[in-house]
Amino acid sequence: MKQEARRLVDRLWNYCNVLRDDGVSSLDYLEQLSFLVFLKMAAEIEQANKDITDEAKHRHVLPEGEHWKDRGWPGLLDLSGKKLEESYSQLLADLGKREESEAENADLGDGEDEDYPVPDQEEDNETTLSLIFFRARNRLQNPVNLRRLIVDLIDKEEWLTASKDIKGDAYEALIARSAADTKAGAGQYFTPRVLIESIVRCMRPTPDDTITDPACGTGGFLLAAHDYIVREYGAEMSTEDFERFDQGAIWGTELVPTTARLAAMNLLLHNIGRADGKPLIKVTDALAKVPEKRASIVLANPPFGKKSSIVVSNADGKVSREDMAYYRRDFWETTTNKQLNFVQHIANLLTDNGRAAVILPDNVLFEGGRGASIRRELLTRYNLHTMLRLPDGIFYAGGVKANVLFFDAAPARRSEDDTPATGQLWVYDLRTDNRFTLKQNPLLPEHLADFEKRAFGVGEEDPDGAFARRKASGRLQVVDGAKLVATKDVDLDIGLIETERERTAETRTPAELTLALAEDLRGAFSELDALAKDLGIELPPLTK
């Protein structure tokens, strides 16, 4: 990160530490920061357009009318004490008011924020403004600290004209710090940026692509794809090419409104989209409907957790969870497994010749029953050409064993002789003998360099010929697709140099056993904690 961006991050994060004394979490602080930065940017836009007399060309980010005169950022700057707190709270409430549909998925349990039921966006009536301020509320109850945040921190910066390397990288760094600060907050949807950027380098998006993430979290994949395109093709791109991004060539879907607002703000600060234009983030359950819009590239890390479920209250007042299946005509199988549903959804999101890269947990590779059928259909209809077995310790959710699946939509989904579209599945094992931690031993770009070069030709003069040059050796192995399809279970838990099943207690060192046990316990507690939250139970803190 550049020095100026780091300076801004340090200033803003230090103030987050101050607010903890007021009971404001880092995630709440990041949300309030998003509101205030947006208001400051809106004021800067108004100032930049103050001399434009043609209303057709004048950009008004905040609503117009006498009611809004002298409100917004200039009005907040002139207030202090109780009047500031009341004015800010009322401003957020007014901006958050809009027609709300009674979304069928408003009571979803997995990923739900109980304060913010999931809206079902009608895109034609939405703007980035309405997305960011949907049901916004003031969580800064100390007016002294609120004024300091407004006057001493945010107002000192020029957000609209600052380069995205400053404001965008700073905001992205704040999201990362929030994820590290609270695993129950941003950590649940934060994907390591090192992994995201590696996947994007392998996918090599172009200005002609349409790119989406159906579980976009804070927008990391979308930002990385945009940055790659601008870096590789920016010098030859036209104004129209850049405008495609603002008009929906890049978009995401996110279930949780509080997360979606962070994603929308993240894109905005990276100069993607318009504050007064249609939002590039849609707030809805991506799995609920057949996609209306398809993409040539899909990048995703669907939320961890095996089951899709809803929280229900019985007649006797007891609260319970019920597994939920999605019945869609484009799905190959109906299942309650959330990740298997995302596999089917992402496959159907692709245009002809489209490409996908998705991060999925190990259970997707071997779960029986409908899981085997879904894997068989994926291998048969699509070209699942590459799988990266990820190492432990790279996600904030503990105990997660995950993989990256790279697959393409074959032009002819199923040939006349029923030969599967997957001719060869190349598996790269980055897991065996690699164990990372988030702080002491984090995943770095150099750890992924061998995979990128051998599997996708990243950094070579002829990356297009990388597939033809692939050679099986060491961590990179190849399996025949037809043989996989022909097996009963279509087990894709393959390619590890030395699998976990083979590494018995006798062959592991005490240190390895301790680390493995710790990861399993973290994973179990993470699942238990999620279940308790869905049931409204507060678990006691773990003692050290």
Side-chain angles (χ1 to χ4, degrees):
M1 190 194 309
K2 294 184 179 179
Q3 184 175 357
E4 186 65 14
R6 184 175 290 108
R7 174 197 63 80
L8 181 57
V9 169
D10 290 341
R11 286 187 67 209
L12 294 172
W13 189 254
N14 286 339
Y15 196 63
C16 177
N17 294 328
V18 173
L19 291 177
R20 281 195 180 89
D21 294 335
D22 291 338
V24 179
S25 70
S26 58
L27 195 58
D28 285 341
Y29 170 62
L30 189 58
E31 180 186 62
Q32 298 301 307
L33 188 68
S34 301
F35 297 152
L36 293 169
V37 168
F38 187 99
L39 293 171
K40 176 64 161 59
M41 290 177 64
E44 292 175 5
I45 290 173
E46 288 288 346
Q47 181 64 25
N49 287 269
K50 64 183 178 65
D51 296 329
I52 299 177
T53 57
D54 185 353
E55 281 298 312
K57 298 180 179 179
H58 197 298
R59 292 178 61 190
H60 294 287
V61 179
L62 297 184
E64 300 178 71
E66 190 65 27
H67 174 68
W68 291 92
K69 188 177 181 180
D70 299 326
R71 300 189 75 191
W73 192 256
L76 295 177
L77 286 174
D78 294 336
L79 299 175
S80 61
K82 192 68 175 177
K83 288 186 177 180
L84 173 61
E85 180 187 346
E86 292 174 350
S87 180
Y88 175 57
S89 298
Q90 189 61 49
L91 177 61
L92 294 185
D94 290 347
L95 287 171
K97 287 179 180 177
R98 63 181 179 85
E99 291 186 5
E100 300 172 18
S101 61
E102 294 295 330
E104 293 181 358
N105 60 347
D107 294 325
L108 284 172
D110 280 347
E112 179 194 4
D113 183 324
E114 64 180 357
D115 293 331
Y116 300 96
V118 179
D120 190 8
Q121 283 189 354
E122 296 294 336
E123 291 190 0
D124 291 341
N125 300 322
E126 294 294 325
T127 64
T128 303
L129 170 75
S130 62
L131 170 57
I132 289 178
F133 289 98
F134 175 70
R135 293 199 175 183
R137 64 179 64 179
N138 175 23
R139 300 185 189 273
L140 306 176
Q141 302 303 317
N142 187 331
V144 174
N145 285 336
L146 175 59
R147 178 164 176 79
R148 181 183 170 191
L149 180 59
I150 291 172
V151 177
D152 295 340
L153 291 177
I154 296 177
D155 196 56
K156 299 294 185 183
E157 305 291 337
E158 292 294 325
W159 295 90
L160 184 64
T161 57
S163 73
K164 70 174 183 179
D165 290 336
I166 296 177
K167 63 187 181 184
D169 289 356
Y171 192 78
E172 186 81 351
L174 284 173
I175 292 175
R177 289 196 184 186
S178 178
D181 187 60
T182 169
K183 294 182 178 65
Q188 64 185 327
Y189 51 77
F190 186 86
T191 307
R193 293 304 181 251
V194 169
L195 178 59
I196 285 177
E197 291 169 357
S198 175
I199 291 172
V200 169
R201 282 193 296 270
C202 294
M203 295 293 286
R204 296 163 55 206
T206 74
D208 296 325
D209 279 310
T210 50
I211 303 166
T212 191
D213 181 347
C216 69
T218 57
F221 269 121
L222 304 178
L223 292 174
H226 178 271
D227 287 347
Y228 180 92
I229 292 170
V230 172
R231 184 172 60 253
E232 296 294 323
Y233 301 96
E236 57 197 62
M237 289 172 62
S238 65
T239 302
E240 290 74 18
D241 289 332
F242 282 100
E243 288 179 348
R244 285 185 70 246
F245 300 133
D246 298 340
Q247 297 166 357
I250 287 180
W251 77 97
T253 305
E254 172 55 40
L255 176 65
V256 183
T258 51
T259 310
R261 75 167 100 251
L262 296 181
M265 197 69 201
N266 209 1
L267 265 61
L268 200 61
L269 289 173
H270 283 82
N271 298 336
I272 308 173
R274 290 169 56 105
D276 54 348
K278 291 182 179 180
L280 302 180
I281 307 299
K282 182 177 177 60
V283 187
T284 191
D285 180 3
L287 298 176
K289 298 178 182 179
V290 175
E292 299 175 357
K293 183 180 179 182
R294 287 174 167 77
S296 61
I297 291 181
V298 178
L299 306 167
N301 179 13
F304 298 135
K306 184 175 177 180
K307 295 292 185 182
S308 296
S309 59
I310 56 175
V311 178
V312 296
S313 296
N314 300 322
D316 58 2
K318 293 183 179 180
V319 177
S320 62
R321 288 164 59 102
E322 290 186 1
D323 291 343
M324 180 177 61
Y326 292 89
Y327 298 92
R328 278 179 38 178
R329 65 178 183 272
D330 60 333
F331 277 10
W332 314 317
E333 292 284 350
T334 299
T335 174
T336 59
N337 184 306
K338 183 164 51 181
Q339 277 81 29
L340 288 172
N341 282 327
F342 265 106
V343 169
Q344 299 180 89
H345 177 69
I346 290 169
N348 285 291
L349 263 176
L350 291 175
T351 59
D352 291 341
N353 298 311
R355 301 173 289 139
V358 54
I359 301 172
L360 294 165
D362 276 11
N363 74 79
V364 171
L365 306 183
F366 54 75
E367 182 172 305
R370 289 183 174 89
S373 177
I374 290 171
R375 289 191 297 274
R376 180 174 286 106
E377 289 298 315
L378 179 65
L379 290 167
T380 301
R381 297 171 181 246
Y382 295 79
N383 179 18
L384 177 58
H385 52 81
T386 309
M387 182 165 64
L388 171 63
R389 306 302 301 266
L390 292 172
D392 297 337
I394 65 173
F395 294 102
Y396 287 99
V400 173
K401 295 182 183 296
N403 317 269
V404 186
L405 273 61
F406 297 84
F407 59 90
D408 301 342
R413 298 295 176 87
R414 191 190 294 264
S415 62
E416 293 182 0
D417 60 357
D418 213 30
T419 301
T422 302
Q424 291 181 322
L425 171 58
W426 292 80
V427 184
Y428 189 96
D429 175 18
L430 191 62
R431 181 178 301 177
T432 302
D433 295 330
N434 280 325
R435 191 176 291 274
F436 296 93
T437 60
L438 294 175
K439 294 183 179 180
Q440 286 79 12
N441 184 33
L443 182 71
L444 299 174
E446 50 262 36
H447 297 131
L448 292 155
D450 184 65
F451 163 71
E452 293 176 17
K453 181 178 180 180
R454 294 182 62 191
F456 289 91
V458 174
E460 296 188 346
E461 293 185 2
D462 178 28
D464 290 334
F467 280 25
R469 294 192 301 270
R470 286 179 172 181
K471 294 181 179 180
S473 65
R475 293 186 180 272
L476 183 63
Q477 300 296 323
V478 63
V479 184
D480 183 81
K483 290 182 178 179
L484 288 171
V485 171
T487 61
K488 177 183 177 182
D489 297 326
V490 198
D491 190 348
L492 300 183
D493 189 13
I494 54 179
L496 295 179
I497 301 171
E498 185 180 7
T499 68
E500 294 297 327
R501 290 188 295 270
E502 293 170 340
R503 302 196 70 190
T504 63
E506 287 76 14
T507 62
R508 290 187 182 186
T509 66
E512 288 178 322
L513 286 169
T514 302
L515 287 171
L517 178 60
E519 290 294 335
D520 290 340
L521 289 174
R522 288 192 189 102
F525 184 80
S526 177
E527 290 290 331
L528 181 62
D529 187 52
L531 174 61
K533 287 181 179 178
D534 286 342
L535 298 178
I537 302 172
E538 184 175 351
L539 294 179
L542 292 176
T543 57
K544 295 184 178 180

